[in-house]
Amino acid sequence: MNTEIDLLKTIIRNSNNNICLRSPIEMEQVCAWEKKYGVKLPEDYFTFLTEIGDGGTIVPITPDCDKLVSFKTYEQDGYSFAGIKKPFTLEKSWMPDWGDTIENAPDNEDKLEKLMAKRWTMIRHDGNLTLAEDKTDNFQRWFLVVTGPCRGEVWLESEFGVLRFPNCTFSKWLQLHLEGKWEDYAEERAVQEQKERERHTTPQERCLELLNKNKYCPKPVATMDEVRAFEAQHGIVLPEDYIEFVTTVANGSRPARSYSHKLYTMQEAGSLGNLDKPFFFQTMKQFREAVIRQYGKYPSYDAMIRLRWNILEPYLDPRTPSEDSLWVPPMLERMNGCLPLRLSTRSQDRTTAFLILNGEFRGQIWGANLRNGIQAYIKHRLANGDKVNVMNYLERCEVCAFGA
């Protein structure tokens, strides 16, 4: 006795005429299809087709989707069985827009795009059947996996990637929809998956997820020999978290199609020069004096304070930025003792996050932009209370810190 199927029958029988299914398919026809394609349908879906109904109108899954795809007219309706026998190879959610990429992918954007396209083709054609589809701008496709390690599960495809719902059978999926419980179930599952990801990923992996999610196209890491040579060249000692980032996550990023931001490589950042000279605020006392000059008093909240360029003039190097400066903002050329990290070009202000290399603020990451001057992130922390450093500041970019 299949209790899930029996429960499904009861729900459909007790519905108030808002479910209209097509007639079931003869068992012999479904068996003939299985023999033709060499695929055994999951038991509960087989039973649904042969005892309950073959597609039809159901309680709306989304405002623009209230249809179950018919198995009998599957190909006439524009779908295909061509890849049905091939294995569905994924065993976990795959969300490129959330930072997922392809393992062991080459450091070549064109080759990576081909691999990504191949993955999408597999998802849309191999080893799965479309159950329902919302083809509007908020594209969503629910599909039943019929081959591979996740056979029998219902997954969700969207423009962001594919979400797995472990052990969610066809019967369970449809029951949750018909009872109006799917959204709560899916949300709970998303929270669980996020916790699982965090539990099984290192800080380096989380950094790479954020880089890939935001289309940074990370460059290969630097070697420790390169780091030590850089330090010797500039007469400095780099903060340990910066060294960890460039040697285990990425040494900058390369331009990508439609990119609006970049990470500077260690070598690019070093071309700013004067890394060994004192940062213009060596002490908190100097900083407070500048703040009071601008605001009249020192504010009680000092996690982020903006200082205009005219207020900073007495503290900056007397150098004049070149007319064809490569830096944004050009005033970076007058800032000593700091290392540019990240350029955001999402707005006309152009914000550069930079790492302070000496003085009382060594290791802190501040911002500089064309219009507002300096954004000083004093006592800046993550939601969990950790101090912001190079290894985790991308998490702050996610919530629009550092002029993201």
Side-chain angles (χ1 to χ4, degrees):
M1 180 177 176
N2 190 321
T3 55
E4 284 189 346
I5 283 292
D6 290 338
L7 181 58
L8 198 54
K9 288 179 179 177
T10 300
I11 293 170
I12 293 172
R13 185 170 57 248
N14 294 337
S15 66
N16 297 319
N17 298 320
N18 55 355
I19 299 174
C20 183
L21 300 178
R22 299 177 54 162
S23 300
I25 307 174
E26 293 291 333
M27 184 179 297
E28 291 76 11
Q29 290 182 292
V30 180
C31 290
W33 180 92
E34 291 182 326
K35 184 176 181 180
K36 175 181 178 180
Y37 289 100
V39 173
K40 292 287 290 183
L41 294 175
E43 181 182 351
D44 64 329
Y45 185 60
F46 183 99
T47 303
F48 179 84
L49 291 176
T50 57
E51 295 184 14
I52 300 178
D54 172 33
T57 302
I58 59 171
V59 175
I61 298 175
T62 72
D64 299 291
C65 178
D66 63 354
K67 304 291 184 185
L68 271 183
V69 175
S70 166
F71 184 80
K72 192 171 185 178
T73 62
Y74 194 80
E75 292 187 306
Q76 295 95 303
D77 294 337
Y79 302 100
S80 174
F81 292 133
I84 197 67
K85 189 176 180 179
K86 296 179 180 178
F88 184 81
T89 56
L90 292 182
E91 297 184 46
K92 60 181 181 179
S93 300
W94 182 67
M95 304 294 286
D97 273 27
W98 292 2
D100 290 344
T101 184
I102 295 178
E103 293 181 3
N104 302 316
D107 184 30
N108 179 292
E109 189 173 353
D110 289 333
K111 291 182 179 179
L112 176 59
E113 284 191 356
K114 289 180 181 178
L115 286 176
M116 296 284 273
K118 186 176 180 181
R119 171 67 60 84
W120 279 113
T121 298
M122 187 282 294
I123 288 168
R124 288 166 180 160
H125 300 284
D126 295 353
N128 68 83
L129 291 165
T130 298
L131 298 173
E133 189 171 26
D134 183 342
K135 297 182 180 180
T136 61
D137 290 341
N138 298 316
F139 171 75
Q140 296 179 82
R141 180 179 76 98
W142 290 264
F143 61 90
L144 176 65
V145 179
V146 298
T147 64
C150 296
R151 179 181 178 273
E153 292 181 350
V154 173
W155 287 43
L156 171 63
E157 176 193 354
S158 72
E159 59 185 315
F160 304 111
V162 285
L163 285 173
R164 180 190 178 191
F165 300 98
N167 304 314
C168 182
T169 62
F170 169 80
S171 299
K172 182 176 182 179
W173 169 78
L174 188 54
Q175 174 193 333
L176 287 167
H177 273 306
L178 298 182
E179 292 183 326
K181 298 178 180 179
W182 174 258
E183 287 189 8
D184 289 341
Y185 171 83
E187 183 177 347
E188 180 182 349
R189 176 56 205 158
V191 171
Q192 290 175 351
E193 179 158 323
Q194 183 60 33
K195 289 180 178 179
E196 290 169 7
R197 282 181 177 232
E198 292 176 356
R199 189 164 57 247
H200 294 99
T201 56
T202 64
Q204 288 83 357
E205 289 170 332
R206 288 196 291 274
C207 282
L208 281 171
E209 281 188 3
L210 288 169
L211 290 173
N212 288 315
K213 174 182 177 180
N214 289 289
K215 309 294 188 293
Y216 275 97
C217 294
K219 285 188 173 182
V221 297
T223 65
M224 282 302 301
D225 286 342
E226 290 174 319
V227 170
R228 298 310 176 201
F230 181 85
E231 291 178 321
Q233 176 188 355
H234 294 281
I236 60 173
V237 176
L238 293 167
E240 287 300 316
D241 58 290
Y242 178 78
I243 294 176
E244 183 181 10
F245 184 85
V246 297
T247 59
T248 65
V249 179
N251 182 21
S253 64
R254 60 184 184 275
R257 297 180 181 91
S258 72
Y259 97 60
S260 60
H261 38 223
K262 70 169 290 182
L263 292 179
Y264 291 107
T265 66
M266 182 172 59
Q267 293 75 13
E268 287 171 335
S271 68
L272 180 62
N274 288 351
L275 306 187
D276 58 331
K277 290 187 177 181
F279 181 61
F280 52 76
F281 293 133
Q282 283 291 292
T283 65
M284 187 65 182
K285 180 181 178 182
Q286 290 177 323
F287 177 73
R288 290 176 68 92
E289 289 172 351
V291 173
I292 292 171
R293 183 180 301 143
Q294 176 169 304
Y295 292 97
K297 63 179 181 178
Y298 193 83
S300 58
Y301 178 72
D302 62 359
M304 186 188 79
I305 295 174
R306 290 185 172 88
L307 288 173
R308 297 189 298 270
W309 291 115
N310 64 322
I311 294 295
L312 293 168
E313 183 63 33
Y315 303 93
L316 297 174
D317 191 287
R319 290 180 293 171
T320 300
S322 58
E323 292 183 3
D324 57 347
S325 176
L326 298 176
W327 296 101
V328 181
M331 293 294 280
L332 278 175
E333 294 188 21
R334 299 185 61 191
M335 294 168 53
N336 300 327
C338 62
L339 199 68
L341 293 177
R342 171 182 181 270
L343 170 66
S344 174
T345 59
R346 289 182 179 175
S347 71
Q348 61 183 7
D349 293 337
R350 303 282 187 100
T351 296
T352 296
F354 61 89
L355 175 67
I356 301 171
L357 298 177
N358 52 52
E360 193 170 331
F361 302 109
R362 171 180 163 82
Q364 291 189 9
I365 301 171
W366 292 10
N369 69 43
L370 290 169
R371 182 170 60 178
N372 295 323
I374 294 296
Q375 296 165 296
Y377 295 89
I378 309 296
K379 301 179 183 178
H380 215 41
R381 293 179 180 272
L382 300 178
N384 64 5
D386 290 346
K387 288 184 178 180
V388 171
N389 59 37
V390 179
M391 282 296 294
N392 63 32
Y393 91 101
L394 285 172
E395 297 178 38
R396 299 301 295 152
C397 294
E398 287 292 286
V399 291
C400 297
F402 303 104

